[in-house]
Amino acid sequence: TADITAISVEAGLPHGMVNTGIIGSLERATNLLEIDILIKGIEKEFETRKPEKNSLAAKIAYERTIVGG
């Protein structure tokens, strides 16, 4: 679990913009990619829409997501 809305706001995104935070949490839960690869992909995808803030939201969500228990 993780409070994705709060994390996104903390990263500097508008309230309700939670997509990249969810992606970060999903990565923590599934380990589909390495986090660095995921961050680079987010920065490329969002290159004209606050790439630093979106990648930060994913990083924070990844770090704070608790899997299991």
Side-chain angles (χ1 to χ4, degrees):
T1 63
D3 186 347
I4 300 302
T5 300
I7 288 169
S8 296
V9 171
E10 179 182 338
L13 295 170
H15 191 273
M17 300 296 281
V18 296
N19 296 346
T20 52
I22 291 171
I23 292 169
S25 284
L26 178 66
E27 172 54 25
R28 171 62 99 191
T30 62
N31 294 308
L32 293 173
L33 301 169
E34 294 179 23
I35 188 65
D36 294 335
I37 293 170
L38 180 70
I39 295 304
K40 287 178 186 175
I42 288 171
E43 289 174 349
K44 183 168 176 57
E45 179 65 29
F46 290 88
E47 65 187 350
T48 62
R49 296 171 286 161
K50 303 177 183 171
E52 298 85 12
K53 292 177 181 182
N54 277 289
S55 63
L56 180 59
K59 287 178 197 175
I60 294 170
Y62 176 83
E63 292 168 359
R64 293 190 189 164
T65 296
I66 300 168
V67 179

